């Protein structure tokens, strides 16, 4: 048996799933909780592309800022 991961548009989802439900020995696992929407992925990539070196902060600095904010 083989395993397949497929990304499909939302408007085709119901048709796609209903088709595969009729095939014996097919299991459909929906990992919706871990999905990042495509628009959000694109936004992050665009922000990374446009970021300047001075926009970045080291993990140590980030940790200090976090601790200062939440450990008052």
């Amino acid at each position: 048996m083989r395993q397949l991961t497929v990304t499909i548009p939302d408007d085709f989802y119901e048709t796609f799933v209903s088709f595969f439900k009729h095939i014996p020995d097919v299991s459909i696992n929906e990992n919706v909780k871990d999905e990042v929407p495509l628009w959000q992925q694109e936004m992050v990539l665009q922000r990374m592309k446009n970021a300047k070196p001075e926009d970045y902060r080291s993990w140590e600095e980030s940790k200090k800022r976090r601790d200062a904010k939440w450990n008052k």
Side-chain angles (χ1 to χ4, degrees), residues 7-17 32 35 37-39:
T7 303
I8 58 171
D10 290 337
D11 53 337
F12 288 108
Y13 176 79
E14 293 299 326
T15 305
F16 186 84
V17 170
V32 177
E35 258 181 46
L38 185 57
W39 66 267

Side-chain angles (χ1 to χ4, degrees), residues 2-4 10 21-25 30 36 39-40 42 56 64-65 67 69 71-72:
R2 294 183 184 206
Q3 189 172 16
L4 177 67
D10 290 337
K21 281 184 178 179
H22 299 292
I23 300 174
D25 299 326
E30 300 179 52
V36 177
W39 66 267
Q40 195 169 16
E42 291 170 348
Y56 289 96
K64 285 179 191 174
R65 287 181 178 214
D67 292 345
K69 180 177 181 177
N71 293 329
K72 291 182 180 183

Side-chain angles (χ1 to χ4, degrees), residues 6-58:
V6 179
T7 303
I8 58 171
D10 290 337
D11 53 337
F12 288 108
Y13 176 79
E14 293 299 326
T15 305
F16 186 84
V17 170
S18 65
F19 174 77
F20 281 98
K21 281 184 178 179
H22 299 292
I23 300 174
D25 299 326
V26 168
S27 68
I28 299 172
N29 298 320
E30 300 179 52
N31 295 326
V32 177
K33 66 178 181 176
D34 295 331
E35 258 181 46
V36 177
L38 185 57
W39 66 267
Q40 195 169 16
Q41 293 175 33
E42 291 170 348
M43 182 186 296
V44 169
L45 291 173
Q46 188 65 33
R47 288 180 179 176
M48 288 171 60
K49 179 180 170 187
N50 294 333
K52 302 173 204 85
E54 60 268 17
D55 294 336
Y56 289 96
R57 187 178 300 131
S58 71

